[in-house]
Structure formats: C-alpha cells, structure tokens
Amino acid sequence: MLYDYRAIDPWGRRLDGRAEAGGLTELEARLSRQHLELLRARPIRLSFAASGRIPRRQLITLCFNLEHMLRAGVPLLDILADLLDTETDPRLQRNLGGIIDGIGGGMSLSEAMAAQSGAFGDVMLSLIRAGETSGRLPEVLAGLGEALKWEDELLATTRRLLIYPALLAVVVVAAAGFLIGFMVPQLKLFIANMGEELPLQTRLLFALSDLLSAGWPALAALAVAAPLAGSLLFRHSEGFRDRLDRGTLQLPLFGPILSKIVLCRLSNTLALLYAAGIPVLEAIETTRRVVGNRALSQALAEVARAISDGGGIAASFGSTRLFPSLVIRMLHVGESTGGLDQALHTVAYFYDRDVRESVGRMQAMLEPLLTLILGVLLGWIMLALFSPLYDVISRVRP
C-alpha cells in the first residue's frame, strides 16, 4: 500500500512524504528507523495502470536509477518507493504506483510493468523479463539505458535530416509565393499599359500570377486535404502503408539514409535482445514489432519462418533479398563464431556512423542548393518584370 504521510524529525521539523508499506505499523517502523515520528498517514490507491508511452528521456533516467541502486543492494520496492517520492511527472507517478502495487501483489517487475497499458515498450519488457530470468537485471538495465541513449541520438539525427530541408523549402516557397502573388500583380497593370510587346518570360510570369490569384482557394484546400487524406489512408489502408514504407526507402537522396537508419535500429535492437539471452526467434519477433517499417517487418516475419523451418540465420536473412550484403556477411560471421550480438553491434555502429556522415553532407549540400534555387527564382522574376521597363527606357533615352 502507498501512503502519504506527515512526520516530525528530532529537531521538531515537520516533513511530508510518500512511502510504500504493508500497513501503518510497518510505515511507522520504517520511519522510526529514519529517526522520524509519524504524525498522520493517508493511504493512496493509484490506478493500477496509466495509459500513454513514457518519454524516452524519462526511461533513460529510470534505467540508470534502477541499475545503480540494484547494484548497491537496495531492495526493489524501496527503490521504486524512493523514485516515486522524487518523481514530479504525474503520469510516471501513476505508473510507478501501479508497479509498486503489482509487485506487492506478487507480480514480477516485468509483469507489473507490462500491466501499465503500453507505458513501456516491447523491447524494454522483453529485456527486463530476460534479466530477471538470468539474474543479470542490473547488467541488462545498463545495456538498455545505453541503447535508449543511442536511439535518442538517432532520432535527433533523423529529425535533422527531415526537418531542416523542409524548413528551407518552406522559406523558398513562401518567398516565391509572396513575390508572385503580391508584388507581381502590383506591377502587372503598369507594365501591360506601356503598350509594348511583352517578352516570353514576362508573359509566363503574369500567367503564373493570374493562376495563383484565381486558384489560391483551391490550392489552400488541397494543402489541407492532402495531408488529411494521407493520414486517413495510413490509418485504414494496409496496402497504402506498405507502399508508403517501401516508397520511403526508395526516395532519391533521402531513401538510402532512411534505409540505413531503419537497419541501424533493427541491428541494435536485435543485438541487445540476443545478448540478453532471449532466443533468436523471440528476439526477431520483438524486433519486428518495433522496427518502424512495414516492409522490413514483413521481411523479418519471413526470416522467422525460415529459421523455424531449420534454415540458418544468415541464409534466412539473405533469402528475403531486402537486407544489404553487409548485414548478411556480418550475420554469417557472427553465426560462425558464436558472436552474433557483436556482429550485429558492428553493423549498427557502421550504419550509425554512415548516417551521421551522410546527414552532415546532405545538410552541407542542401543549404547552398536551396539558396541557389531561391536566387534563380528571384533573378527570373526580376528579369521578367524589369526587362520591359528597360526596353522602354532605352528607347526614350536621347
């Protein structure tokens, strides 16, 4: 049972806190060992499960605290009670309270965490379950914490890859839209009334301006409807999700990098699960659920079927024709030497380094490229607008 309590220390200062105990007598005894005298206590009945995935940064902190306090020999319930006392996030407080209640009711740590309505991912639950079974929970938590840190950095790299070019593209489109939609109509009437034959580029610019002026409501509706329709299709059409995931990996410039990011995550997750002692088929099934790409998820399902039918690991991965030769070669080496987890970590390290270098090169290339596009666009608009004016001025000049 979890209690909110008020106690007094030997110097007469009142302290408020929260602690887990089997009853008021046990709570009073625990506080007495800390030289505190219980004044009052109120039992708290937290919901057994709190919905919503816990953010990755909080999971990293949780793994760090659990690992180091378990290594120090602190009992698990005391660790969780201390974490609950110091936690400020209400959602994580509810999760920790539910875990404490579950363990107090006879559950293991992994079972109590699994009861928290998806707050903890499949990989984390599988690893903690394996750590409990093998008696190596602190070591598993240390590896899990490092994997979560790596995944957080990889996510930041992915965001830089996607968000930075998108922002530059928005700037280019906004600048072009302002010039064509606002500045060009202001000068159009003046230039058209000069009575001169307009050059081709000027006629094209005016036609584009008229199109935008007349059709901007339709374009605005399309800009809103297209993402909405895509979201609905993604939610309700498996075929659309399959084509989208496969098409994402085949995009020019971005596709190879996104493919390496997915393979990097796959290799690291599979290595972490296998190193924790989880059987290879179970590790593949868990990785399949969290890999984040339906094409690779289906390929992993085929790999699992091939292995269960007696095939080798490297041969089963190779039969899908979706994994690069580097992955197959490293899997073959790891399978031959008994160091499959080290081989997978090597693959993850290679792709992680390659992704970071590729993202840096792409950012260095995209900025001047989009700047060049904006400059060419501005130059074309200026040429289209001022060339008729220059022709008129050159004829009237003595």
Side-chain angles (χ1 to χ4, degrees):
M1 180 69 66
L2 196 65
Y3 290 90
D4 265 341
Y5 66 83
R6 173 167 291 179
I8 188 170
D9 66 11
W11 294 273
R13 293 176 298 191
R14 289 190 299 184
L15 301 173
D16 293 327
R18 181 173 292 180
E20 191 275 338
L24 288 175
T25 303
E26 181 180 337
L27 176 63
E28 189 172 5
R30 286 184 58 183
L31 294 175
S32 178
R33 289 194 295 271
Q34 301 174 32
H35 307 290
L36 298 174
E37 182 181 350
L38 180 64
L39 296 178
R40 70 167 185 264
R42 179 175 60 88
I44 304 172
R45 296 198 174 273
L46 297 171
S47 63
F48 191 75
S51 60
R53 180 67 65 88
I54 296 176
R56 188 178 291 106
R57 299 287 177 89
Q58 290 183 331
L59 290 178
I60 293 171
T61 303
L62 180 62
C63 290
F64 177 84
N65 290 328
L66 284 173
E67 176 212 346
H68 286 276
M69 294 178 79
L70 284 172
R71 289 186 189 276
V74 181
L76 180 58
L77 278 176
D78 289 346
I79 296 173
L80 294 171
D82 289 341
L83 292 176
L84 183 59
D85 283 341
T86 57
E87 183 57 50
T88 58
D89 185 282
R91 182 174 54 181
L92 187 52
Q93 281 184 337
R94 291 194 298 271
N95 289 127
L96 289 171
I99 293 171
I100 290 171
D101 284 349
I103 294 175
M107 287 184 173
S108 65
L109 175 61
S110 58
E111 290 172 339
M113 293 174 73
Q116 301 308 303
S117 300
F120 305 94
D122 291 338
V123 172
M124 186 171 189
L125 294 175
S126 298
L127 287 170
I128 289 179
R129 190 180 305 116
E132 290 175 322
T133 303
S134 63
R136 298 172 54 245
L137 186 56
E139 291 83 357
V140 168
L141 287 168
L144 178 59
E146 291 300 319
L148 288 170
K149 291 178 187 176
W150 170 85
E151 191 167 318
D152 195 57
E153 295 174 358
L154 185 65
L155 180 62
T157 301
T158 308
R159 285 173 177 165
R160 288 199 305 272
L161 172 66
L162 298 176
I163 294 176
Y164 182 71
L167 289 176
L168 288 178
V170 167
V171 171
V172 171
V173 172
F178 172 77
L179 291 173
I180 296 174
F182 179 77
M183 192 179 79
V184 171
Q186 303 294 323
L187 297 174
K188 177 183 175 182
L189 185 61
F190 172 73
I191 295 175
N193 289 334
M194 291 190 309
E196 298 290 327
E197 183 180 356
L198 299 179
L200 176 62
Q201 67 267 20
T202 305
R203 295 198 301 270
L204 289 175
L205 179 62
F206 287 169
L208 181 59
S209 177
D210 291 339
L211 178 64
L212 289 178
S213 298
W216 72 264
L219 292 174
L222 181 63
V224 173
L228 183 61
S231 176
L232 291 174
L233 282 172
F234 186 82
R235 290 181 182 180
H236 302 291
S237 173
E238 291 191 8
F240 178 79
R241 290 198 297 268
D242 290 342
R243 288 192 293 272
L244 181 64
D245 280 350
R246 290 181 183 276
T248 299
L249 300 181
Q250 296 171 359
L251 288 172
L253 295 179
F254 295 97
I257 299 178
L258 293 174
S259 178
K260 290 172 184 176
I261 288 172
V262 175
L263 287 171
C264 187
R265 186 182 184 192
L266 183 154
S267 302
N268 194 64
T269 302
L270 192 56
L272 192 64
L273 293 166
Y274 186 79
I278 297 174
V280 66
L281 285 176
E282 184 181 342
I284 290 175
E285 176 61 26
T286 302
T287 304
R288 188 181 73 81
R289 294 197 298 267
V290 302
V291 71
N293 185 280
R294 292 178 65 85
L296 283 178
S297 179
Q298 293 171 359
L300 286 174
E302 295 175 12
V303 169
R305 284 194 294 269
I307 293 175
S308 62
D309 290 338
I313 297 175
S316 300
F317 272 85
S319 65
T320 65
R321 301 187 181 280
L322 191 61
F323 297 95
S325 58
L326 172 67
V327 176
I328 308 302
R329 187 160 53 248
M330 293 304 298
L331 285 173
H332 179 71
V333 171
E335 191 176 11
S336 303
T337 60
L340 187 61
D341 54 331
Q342 290 91 344
L344 287 167
H345 276 307
T346 301
V347 172
Y349 170 77
F350 173 82
Y351 280 130
D352 180 51
R353 180 174 177 178
D354 198 9
V355 163
R356 295 176 192 276
E357 292 176 352
S358 299
V359 169
R361 288 195 300 268
M362 180 167 290
Q363 287 181 339
M365 178 185 68
L366 281 175
E367 185 173 358
L369 178 62
L370 290 174
T371 303
L372 177 63
I373 292 173
L374 181 59
V376 170
L377 185 61
L378 290 174
W380 173 66
I381 293 174
M382 294 300 104
L383 178 65
L385 288 176
F386 292 111
S387 59
L389 296 174
Y390 179 77
D391 291 340
V392 172
I393 293 171
S394 63
R395 279 197 295 270
V396 301
R397 188 175 56 189

